[in-house]
């Protein structure tokens, strides 16, 4: 069953753009956000027969979040999907990172997603889904090979903050999902990744459309549950 209305935070390119296209193709309407010039999203919106509309937000900036909310008015959604994320410094190392680099990474990947999600909660319909794009690399339990240490830590922080949010939301008719898209050929995932955006997004849309489970789950693109 298609999802009637969605807002995707961070849809200028990569997975966010792919999800906007796919959810619109499945018959839903999508408010897709970018923080600046987003020609590919503009083209997708132009080709969508009005199913995709564009809004602006930089989740690092509280004023920008407030402006997004003001623009939404009374609009409500069945799915709020916070997709925006960054990979952080290339070295990924706790011994090499500066305070500013770490602050930026943690802010964008862990703190800002929670802030924008909490701001959007009044716009989420009952029995709707609040979803966060995390990563398998955010799993503490599955970290057996190391690497990408700081990015892992930022997504683990997002997962922990999201678990706490789920506790605060207990009793409310909201479903929470923490998602892993697979390793995907985007600017972030690079050209050697195993999945195309279309393959990942096809799986993610199935997971999102089939989600009837109350509470909070950590699920990857093919429906497999992940250990926290
Ligand atoms: N690709 C993978 O293999 C992979 C694997 C696991 C998890 N993920 C996660 O999936 C999500 C999407 O990744 P991707 O591969 O599609 O990456 P991407 O191609 O680099 O796209 C990242 C998106 O996030 C947006 N963004 C970044 N910082 C933002 C901010 N402060 N405010 C608003 N938007 C912001 C970007 O907007 P701009 O265009 O303005 O920069 C862009 O739309 C991320 O959370 C990532 O961590 C990706």
């Amino acid at each position: 069953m298609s999802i009637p209305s969605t807002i995707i935070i961070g849809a200028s390119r990569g997975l966010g753009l792919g999800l906007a296209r796919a959810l619109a193709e499945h018959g839903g309407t999508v408010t897709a956000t970018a923080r600046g010039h987003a020609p590919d999203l503009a083209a997708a919106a132009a080709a969508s027969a009005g199913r995709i509309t564009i809004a602006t937000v930089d989740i690092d900036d509280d004023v920008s979040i407030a402006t997004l909310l003001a623009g939404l008015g009374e609009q409500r959604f069945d799915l709020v999907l916070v997709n925006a994320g960054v990979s952080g410094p290339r070295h990924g190392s706790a011994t090499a990172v500066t305070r500013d680099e770490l602050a930026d990474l943690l802010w964008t990947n862990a703190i800002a997603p929670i802030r924008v999600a909490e701001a959007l909660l009044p716009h989420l319909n009952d029995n709707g889904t609040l979803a966060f794009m995390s990563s398998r690399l955010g799993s503490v339990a599955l970290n057996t090979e190391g690497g990408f240490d700081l990015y892992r830590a930022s997504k683990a922080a997002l997962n922990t903050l999201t678990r706490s949010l789920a506790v605060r939301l207990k009793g409310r008719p909201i479903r929470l999902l923490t998602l892993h898209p697979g390793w995907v050929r985007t600017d972030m995932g690079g050209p050697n990744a195993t999945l195309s955006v279309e393959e990942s997004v096809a799986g993610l849309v199935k997971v999102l459309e089939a989600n009837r489970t109350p509470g909070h789950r950590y699920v990857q693109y093919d429906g497999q549950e992940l250990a926290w």
Side-chain angles (χ1 to χ4, degrees):
M1 202 175 71
S2 73
I3 300 168
S5 60
T6 296
I7 183 166
I8 303 176
I9 303 298
S12 59
R13 55 197 168 93
L15 286 160
L17 175 60
L19 282 160
R21 283 200 179 110
L23 289 165
E25 278 162 15
H26 277 221
T29 60
V30 180
T31 299
T33 79
R35 57 178 168 171
H37 183 54
D40 293 344
L41 176 57
S48 74
R51 293 201 170 277
I52 299 176
T53 53
I54 301 176
T56 303
V57 70
D58 179 339
I59 61 170
D60 291 347
D61 177 358
D62 287 338
V63 174
S64 180
I65 293 176
T67 306
L68 169 72
L69 288 186
L72 291 179
E74 300 295 309
Q75 238 180 301
R76 294 175 77 90
F77 304 96
D78 302 295
L79 169 63
V80 171
L81 173 50
V82 184
N83 170 72
V86 291
S87 46
R90 234 183 149 65
H91 56 71
S93 154
T95 50
V97 75
T98 66
R99 278 173 192 263
D100 283 350
E101 284 173 337
L102 184 62
D104 286 350
L105 175 62
L106 285 179
W107 196 271
T108 304
N109 280 6
I111 305 296
I114 297 293
R115 282 161 98 99
V116 74
E118 294 230 26
L120 286 167
L121 276 176
H123 295 266
L124 182 60
N125 283 331
D126 283 356
N127 299 313
T129 296
L130 172 59
F132 293 87
M133 195 65 85
S134 180
S135 169
R136 188 182 194 278
L137 297 184
S139 167
V140 174
L142 297 174
N143 184 4
T144 51
E145 68 273 11
F148 307 103
D149 296 3
L150 299 177
Y151 176 78
R152 276 182 195 276
S154 72
K155 292 295 191 180
L158 172 63
N159 290 0
T160 293
L161 290 167
T162 312
R163 295 266 304 221
S164 295
L165 176 63
V167 172
R168 288 203 294 287
L169 294 176
K170 216 167 186 170
R172 291 190 44 186
I174 292 172
R175 302 157 181 154
L176 260 95
L177 278 179
T178 289
L179 297 169
H180 169 55
W183 184 25
V184 189
R185 293 188 291 277
T186 62
D187 292 339
M188 183 184 291
N192 297 325
T194 48
L195 297 174
S196 67
V197 168
E198 291 71 23
E199 287 166 330
S200 169
V201 157
L204 289 168
V205 167
K206 269 191 203 154
V207 168
L208 289 161
E209 288 181 347
N211 183 39
R212 300 278 174 277
T213 315
H216 187 195
R217 296 188 304 137
Y218 187 16
V219 188
Q220 67 178 23
Y221 71 100
D222 60 3
Q224 188 190 319
E225 302 253 353
L226 297 176
W228 295 97

